[in-house]
Amino acid sequence: MRRKLAAGNWKMNGTTSALSELDALARAFPSPTIDILICPPATLLHRAAETVRETGIATGGQDCHAAPSGAHTGDISADMLVDAGANAVILGHSERREDHGEQNETVRAKARAAMDAGLKAIICVGESLEQREAANTLDIIGGQLSGSIPDQSTGENLIVAYEPIWAIGTGKVPTLEEIGEVHDFIRNRLERRFGEGVGRSVRLLYGGSVKPNNAADIFAVSNVDGALVGGASLKAQDFSGIIVALQKA
Ligand code: PEP
């Protein structure tokens, strides 16, 4: 059985006052029956981890460098994330791929470093609107999966997030059939590459404008094991609605 996961990506949002949202979340779910993960900006990570220590909520990073240390001004290594209290890291988010020109090989190297450090790597894949309209979605996703996911992946250290770029922060969501088609495709690809045991144990998240009012429908789709949530993870009240929907799914 794959344990369901509600993961929040705060992106470049939040200063000290945002920790009160985490506190509220921890109080709302004293013993969650699903995994809950919040990935705050790096400046808040350690304090966020302290805020939710000994609760059922985990914390993660939003990126890491592929190297363990060295002359990489402004970057953060996987070990540093662990040291700050992370147990997971988001990698290959479309905003990193677009804003920082990250290619699949870079994402794969970062994922290797993350896994070696004991982190769960949440590897993001997803097509642009242009690619969807040209009926290239599955080709694009297939290439991102084979290029970004390292060979050492297991059901424990790998989570895949399907995030159509055009659905992120736009309020647009694919149809449930479209989500199901991509998630079934990803599951199939993972089973073919890693064998049925590992392939079936990797959790698959959907991300892109998940809100309390559409979460239950999305969580009912086959091979959707949870969500990667941006905007609606910033407020405990909104994220709580998504968590409740996932707990019931
Ligand atoms: C994201 O950034 O990963 C995301 C899914 O954002 P939003 O929920 O705001 O669309």
Side-chain angles (χ1 to χ4, degrees), residues 9 11 90 93-95 124 163 167-171 206-211 228-233:
N9 173 14
K11 312 191 187 193
I90 299 167
H93 190 282
S94 61
E95 288 153 16
C124 303
E163 298 210 309
I168 295 177
T170 59
Y206 168 76
S209 296
V210 178
K211 308 286 176 207
L228 179 56
V229 182
S233 71

